[in-house]
Amino acid sequence: MKKLLWLAGLVLLSVAVFLAVFSVVRRPLVVDDIQKSLDYKLDYARTLGSPKMLIFAGSNGRYSHRCAPFSAALERPCVNASLAFGIGIDFQLDQWWPLLRAGDVIYMPLEYGQYRHTSAEMHEGLQNALMVQHQRGYLWSLGAQRIAAAYGSFDLSSLINGLVEMALEHRGFQRRSSAASLTPQGDESGHTAQQGEAYASYVRAMVSDTSHFPPQSDSLVVIEDFLDKARRTGVTVVGGLPTLPDSGTVDDADIERLRRLYERHGQRFVVLPNRSQYPLTCFFDSTYHLNEGCQQAHSEQLARALSSALAEPARPPQGTVR
């Protein structure tokens, strides 16, 4: 009995030490900055009335899209709600849902990979540290399994990365892309073509993500539920294509599958004549990130197309809709 009590005591002590360490060790340059960017965007959105517009995707939404042309074309305020590809789409949509009202419009040029994510992929990585360190109320609303997985995601790599980032922060290091580089509306800024020359060889070596649209996935369930919920609330969602180099091929069949995804839930879908594909010289540091000049030009063209699409009546939902 004494051995069992001793063992139980060791386990409790280990858990206490684990929690104490990771309550102190944090990742200020990545995790903290993501929360800072999210707070920045949410705070701005709370100052806007409705109808308003949101741009929602991963970092493609932030780098390749600019709110100002959309506001001018649609005559409504805009916030760029996009954060990063690696954060679960369910978590991100939950952050924005309380701010949505009837008449609002959401443009969603999701990266192709976001349609393919499994539940494990949506719920791993930085999202766990974000919830544990900044979103505990949200985390504790998710149930015991997700809570345990979030706390259990901290490992030796988390400790090393945290200590390195804390040391860099202490020395005044700043990332080239952070909450500080956002426009008032939440778009990425300052990523000029000249600065992008440093990443030109890296971008040329990258393989564009044009994998086929999946027949089913866990993230698709989340997206479809959101499209239905938005429609019932009077929120219009317009799907679109992410920006990619014109050296890749985006299949007609995949575009049609994406169109059907949005339209069968009573929402809309727009495609530019160039399929949102541009020369490699338009890209900054990734094949999903346009440089600032091309970001502006792409947004102006897309804003006109979006304005025309919204002027047309939406198709009624098709099939069984939740």
Side-chain angles (χ1 to χ4, degrees), residues 54-71:
L54 280 72
I55 301 170
F56 182 89
S59 57
N60 161 72
R62 193 177 81 245
Y63 273 88
S64 296
H65 301 80
R66 200 86 171 212
C67 262
F70 291 96
S71 289

Side-chain angles (χ1 to χ4, degrees), residues 26-40:
R26 56 192 181 86
R27 297 189 62 183
L29 302 181
V30 178
V31 175
D32 291 2
D33 188 73
I34 290 174
Q35 184 63 47
K36 189 181 297 183
S37 295
L38 177 59
D39 288 341
Y40 179 90

Side-chain angles (χ1 to χ4, degrees):
M1 186 66 180
K2 287 184 178 180
K3 288 185 178 180
L4 286 176
L5 290 174
W6 181 77
L7 181 60
L10 280 180
V11 171
L12 290 174
L13 178 61
S14 298
V15 171
V17 170
F18 176 87
L19 293 176
V21 167
F22 285 105
S23 67
V24 175
V25 176
R26 56 192 181 86
R27 297 189 62 183
L29 302 181
V30 178
V31 175
D32 291 2
D33 188 73
I34 290 174
Q35 184 63 47
K36 189 181 297 183
S37 295
L38 177 59
D39 288 341
Y40 179 90
K41 293 166 184 273
L42 289 170
D43 287 345
Y44 175 70
R46 291 187 185 101
T47 70
L48 306 179
S50 288
K52 59 183 175 291
M53 178 181 172
L54 280 72
I55 301 170
F56 182 89
S59 57
N60 161 72
R62 193 177 81 245
Y63 273 88
S64 296
H65 301 80
R66 200 86 171 212
C67 262
F70 291 96
S71 289
L74 302 180
E75 298 182 335
R76 63 177 67 199
C78 170
V79 58
N80 196 324
S82 307
L83 286 175
F85 172 83
I87 302 174
I89 193 170
D90 53 348
F91 169 83
Q92 295 190 66
L93 289 172
D94 284 348
Q95 303 300 305
W96 288 96
W97 180 254
L99 276 67
L100 297 177
R101 301 290 182 271
D104 289 349
V105 172
I106 307 173
Y107 177 62
M108 292 178 64
L110 299 177
E111 289 89 336
Y112 292 109
Q114 285 187 289
Y115 294 105
R116 299 193 297 269
H117 279 166
T118 64
S119 180
E121 289 170 329
M122 283 192 292
H123 301 153
E124 65 184 6
L126 294 178
Q127 179 173 318
N128 290 312
L130 195 63
M131 292 190 298
V132 168
Q133 295 174 355
H134 298 283
Q135 298 271 354
R136 289 195 185 98
Y138 174 81
L139 174 61
W140 284 84
S141 73
L142 299 179
Q145 186 174 359
R146 288 285 302 280
I147 294 170
Y151 279 96
S153 67
F154 292 97
D155 54 16
L156 180 59
S157 175
S158 304
L159 179 63
I160 294 172
N161 286 332
L163 292 173
V164 170
E165 287 187 28
M166 290 170 69
L168 289 172
E169 181 192 41
H170 182 72
R171 295 176 64 88
F173 178 85
Q174 292 185 334
R175 297 176 64 203
R176 58 179 172 78
S177 173
S178 68
S181 60
L182 299 176
T183 67
Q185 293 78 28
D187 319 296
E188 191 64 41
S189 67
H191 52 302
T192 64
Q194 183 178 4
Q195 290 182 329
E197 290 175 1
Y199 312 102
S201 59
Y202 172 73
V203 170
R204 284 196 298 271
M206 292 187 73
V207 177
S208 297
D209 175 19
T210 56
S211 301
H212 293 297
F213 182 77
Q216 60 184 19
S217 71
D218 294 325
S219 59
L220 271 177
V221 173
V222 172
I223 293 166
E224 292 191 73
D225 284 344
F226 176 76
L227 295 178
D228 291 337
K229 187 177 177 181
R231 189 196 72 256
R232 292 192 297 266
T233 308
V235 174
T236 298
V237 182
V238 184
L241 300 180
T243 53
L244 282 175
D246 57 11
S247 54
T249 300
V250 180
D251 288 346
D252 290 340
D254 283 324
I255 294 177
E256 188 56 32
R257 290 187 189 100
L258 278 170
R259 183 186 301 280
R260 288 200 301 268
L261 166 67
Y262 287 87
E263 290 185 349
R264 72 169 174 260
H265 293 276
Q267 303 292 2
R268 304 166 192 253
F269 191 75
V270 297
V271 179
L272 294 179
N274 69 347
R275 304 184 177 199
S276 297
Q277 293 182 272
Y278 294 91
L280 275 176
T281 52
C282 256
F283 290 84
F284 180 63
D285 62 351
S286 163
T287 54
Y288 270 131
H289 298 170
L290 293 180
N291 61 45
E292 195 168 28
C294 292
Q295 172 198 38
Q296 179 71 23
H298 172 64
S299 299
E300 289 172 357
Q301 185 181 9
L302 190 56
R304 292 190 292 271
L306 193 59
S307 179
S308 298
L310 291 173
E312 299 292 330
R315 295 184 180 183
Q318 304 166 20
T320 301
V321 181
R322 289 176 290 274

